[in-house]
Amino acid sequence: MARIPKEEILRRFHEQISKGIPITGSGAGVGISAKCAEAGGADLIIIYNSGRFRMAGRGSSCGRFAYSDANQVVLDLAGEILSCVHHTPVIAGVLALDPYRDMERFLDELAQLGFSGVQNFPTVGNINMPLFLKNLEESGYDYEREVEMIRLANRLGLLTTPYCFTTEQARRMADTGTDIVVAHMGLTTKGLIGAAEANDLDACVEKIGLIARAAKEVNPDVLVISHGGSVSEPQDAQYIYERVPETVGFYGASSAERIPTENALIPAVRAFKAITIRR
């Protein structure tokens, strides 16, 4: 699939927002997820290393550990997933802190492969252990590297959709000229391997609202969507839309491929198991 120009993507988004249709992004850790997401009308398909772990039955948090080369996983999945998609922009999750890649060359490689945009994942944005975070920053592995990756991607004409966990991160990303700020509420709840604890929906409303307003103070034109935590089902996204008017969309990863897979496969196998053999 050929890369779709940023201008065309944003034109589509603003047109559908004007009609009250939200932007809906869907994570894909395997080709069938991408194929089904496109058939379901997804506006964006996102590939990141956590998708591979998620669809292998492991938690999405595995994507944050040194179990794999995060950027190489995206390259490995590119052939499988880009070949399944025909008209939906595909976004690459980029580990901006990768010490072994020249980021400008890597972003150019992603564009040449057919990716239309990028996102900062894996990210250090939600690390809240002060000493560990300080050690990362002292070593040059901090959120600012992710900000600079997004700034570079913008200059290269890629669509940018960074994860932001705080108002300060939202301001910094908005200052890069990013297209979409994704207010991240943490690991998605529900299902077999979802988070057991997360902020409730009302807490998410407050946090998303703060992130959205902070981003728009810097750039009034930036689009804001939500992701993760207790916002895991369509009715949850609707709850956010009704209470945070600045939001115009939702990114689903576990909620768009893991949980639907669990919900479909378990009853299907039970139905076959329930058949009685009659001779």
Side-chain angles (χ1 to χ4, degrees), residues 74-131:
V74 170
L75 294 177
D76 293 343
L77 285 171
E80 176 180 343
I81 292 176
L82 287 167
S83 61
C84 288
V85 177
H86 303 292
H87 56 78
T88 308
V90 180
I91 306 299
V94 174
L95 175 60
L97 281 61
D98 191 332
Y100 297 110
R101 282 184 169 83
D102 178 281
M103 199 46 56
E104 184 166 358
R105 289 183 181 178
F106 184 58
L107 294 178
D108 184 63
E109 180 180 2
L110 293 173
Q112 294 300 317
L113 285 170
F115 285 97
S116 296
V118 296
Q119 184 172 59
N120 57 325
F121 191 88
T123 175
V124 298
N126 66 336
I127 294 176
N128 56 10
M129 295 180 288
L131 180 58

Side-chain angles (χ1 to χ4, degrees), residues 4-20:
I4 301 174
K6 176 196 290 207
E7 295 75 17
E8 170 61 19
I9 300 170
L10 292 174
R11 184 196 63 76
R12 293 184 195 176
F13 289 173
H14 285 289
E15 182 177 321
Q16 70 179 48
I17 291 168
S18 71
K19 298 176 182 177

Side-chain angles (χ1 to χ4, degrees), residues 14 174 179 212-224 246:
H14 285 289
D179 303 299
R213 289 187 286 275
K216 285 184 170 292
E217 284 174 4
V218 177
N219 177 9
D221 295 325
V222 70
L223 301 176
V224 180
E246 296 90 349

Side-chain angles (χ1 to χ4, degrees), residues 38 70 72 94 103 110 116-117 122 144 167 178 182 186 209 229 240 246 250 256 261 266:
E38 183 168 68
Q72 186 59 49
V94 174
M103 199 46 56
L110 293 173
S116 296
E144 188 59 31
T167 54
T178 191
V182 185
I240 300 299
E246 296 90 349
F250 172 74
T261 299
I266 293 171

